[in-house]
Amino acid sequence: MDKIIIEAPAKINLTLDVKGKRDDGYHELETVMHPISLVDRLTLTKADDDIRIESNCELLPRGKNNLVYQAAKLFFEKTGRRAGVNVFIEKNIPIGAGLAGGSTNAAGTLLGLNNLYQAHLSPEQLWGLACQLGSDVPFCLIKTSALAQGRGEVLSPLPKIDKLNFLLVKPDFHIATPEIFKKLNLSEIENSPDTKAFLIAWQEYDIIRLASEMVNVLEPVSSAQHPEISAIKNMMKSLGALNAIMSGSGPSVFGVFTDLTQLKNAYQHFKQNYNEVFQVSSYVRRE
Ligand code: C5P
């Protein structure tokens, strides 16, 4: 096998709580992460040497700044293989959006190279490499809903439930995650998620309760800089979403819908003003 195609799904945070600041500068998180059907496709082709990146997306860095490059470099270092790879990234996930687009590409690269080069790295070894690449990368390896704690790398997979349906809107600006964490004042958090209640609603597949327990403590910080986030959220709710919140550090906003006609109408509404609007559902792993 000289070539492999990997699906790399985006994630949304159905809850996001920050429990404290750590000595290493990161924050202690408690967040329910959920992969969605908005996917990038990575085509990895064996090469003799070097790591080359191409993409349909012009904005994407091709060199060492791309997490795909860093993931491939780490893989070759860890396995001691003197080889290279050409990676074509079919980019569908918006960049700088709070959807883990870069992280899921890095995770996909690790999974793909492990397969392509028959390296037999164990899930634990891949997890170790993922932790070095970023806080969201370990989650992106498992492609299934999970409670993430610690920096984001301590994962407890959740039981499978039927698909949820979402509208996702990415306004036309980027947000830098470190800035938002820096601006977050833990003593000023007014509304944090009741993660236990959310997980009970999940177990019972009580969508109304599950939606009402969706809270992201980073949202007020990002919305203060960009009031458009709150405007999108409120509009989604008025168009029929059971609830709508920001994903990650933003700026993407998603709403949960049970009525597919309302979802379609809301999609049409937002499409009039935004380029990046997606009707998505929970990601279903193929393998
Ligand atoms: O781990 P990653 O490089 O993806 O994190 C990006 C930034 O997000 C970090 O540099 C840090 O500012 C912030 N972050 C944090 N606590 C976490 C995860 C991320 O403060 N648990």
Coordinates of all heavy atoms in Angstrom, one line a residue, residues 25-27 29 134-135 150-151 177-178 181, ligand 1:
G25 N 1.0 26.4 33.0 CA 0.4 27.5 32.2 C -0.9 27.2 31.5 O -1.6 28.0 31.0
Y26 N -1.1 25.9 31.4 CA -2.4 25.4 30.8 C -3.5 25.5 31.8 O -3.3 25.8 33.0 CB -2.3 24.0 30.3 CG -1.5 23.9 29.0 CD1 -0.1 23.8 29.0 CD2 -2.2 23.8 27.8 CE1 0.6 23.7 27.8 CE2 -1.5 23.7 26.6 CZ -0.1 23.7 26.6 OH 0.6 23.6 25.5
H27 N -4.7 25.3 31.3 CA -5.9 25.3 32.2 C -6.5 23.9 32.4 O -6.4 23.0 31.5 CB -7.0 26.2 31.7 CG -6.6 27.6 31.7 ND1 -5.8 28.2 30.8 CD2 -7.0 28.6 32.6 CE1 -5.6 29.5 31.1 NE2 -6.3 29.8 32.2
L29 N -9.3 21.5 32.4 CA -10.6 21.5 31.6 C -11.5 20.4 32.1 O -11.0 19.3 32.6 CB -10.3 21.4 30.1 CG -9.5 22.4 29.4 CD1 -9.4 22.1 27.9 CD2 -10.0 23.8 29.7
G134 N -0.7 18.8 20.8 CA -1.7 19.8 21.2 C -2.8 19.2 22.1 O -3.0 17.9 22.0
S135 N -3.5 20.0 22.8 CA -4.4 19.5 23.8 C -5.6 18.8 23.2 O -6.2 17.9 23.8 CB -5.0 20.7 24.6 OG -3.9 21.4 25.2
G150 N -8.1 17.2 32.4 CA -6.7 17.6 32.4 C -6.5 18.7 31.4 O -7.3 19.7 31.4
R151 N -5.5 18.7 30.6 CA -5.3 19.7 29.5 C -6.3 19.5 28.4 O -6.4 20.3 27.5 CB -3.9 19.5 28.9 CG -2.9 20.5 29.3 CD -1.6 20.1 28.7 NE -1.6 20.3 27.2 CZ -0.8 19.7 26.4 NH1 0.2 18.9 26.8 NH2 -0.9 19.9 25.1
T177 N -6.8 31.1 20.3 CA -7.2 30.4 21.6 C -6.4 31.0 22.8 O -7.0 31.3 23.9 CB -7.0 28.9 21.5 OG1 -7.8 28.5 20.3 CG2 -7.4 28.2 22.7
P178 N -5.0 31.1 22.7 CA -4.3 31.6 23.9 C -4.8 32.9 24.4 O -4.8 33.1 25.7 CB -2.8 31.7 23.4 CG -2.8 30.8 22.2 CD -4.1 30.9 21.6
F181 N -7.9 32.3 26.6 CA -7.6 31.7 27.9 C -6.9 32.8 28.8 O -7.1 32.8 30.0 CB -6.7 30.5 27.7 CG -7.5 29.2 27.5 CD1 -7.6 28.6 26.3 CD2 -8.1 28.6 28.6 CE1 -8.3 27.4 26.1 CE2 -8.8 27.4 28.4 CZ -8.9 26.8 27.1
Ligands
C5P1 O1 -2.5 22.6 23.4 P1 -2.8 23.7 22.4 O2 -1.5 24.1 21.7 O3 -3.8 23.3 21.4 O4 -3.3 24.9 23.2 C1 -3.4 26.2 22.6 C2 -3.5 27.2 23.7 O5 -4.7 27.1 24.4 C3 -2.4 27.1 24.7 O6 -1.2 27.7 24.4 C4 -3.1 27.7 25.9 O7 -2.9 29.1 25.8 C5 -4.5 27.4 25.8 N1 -4.9 26.2 26.5 C6 -5.0 26.2 27.9 N2 -5.4 25.1 28.6 C7 -5.7 24.0 28.0 C8 -5.7 23.9 26.6 C9 -5.3 25.0 25.9 O8 -4.7 27.3 28.5 N3 -6.1 23.0 28.7

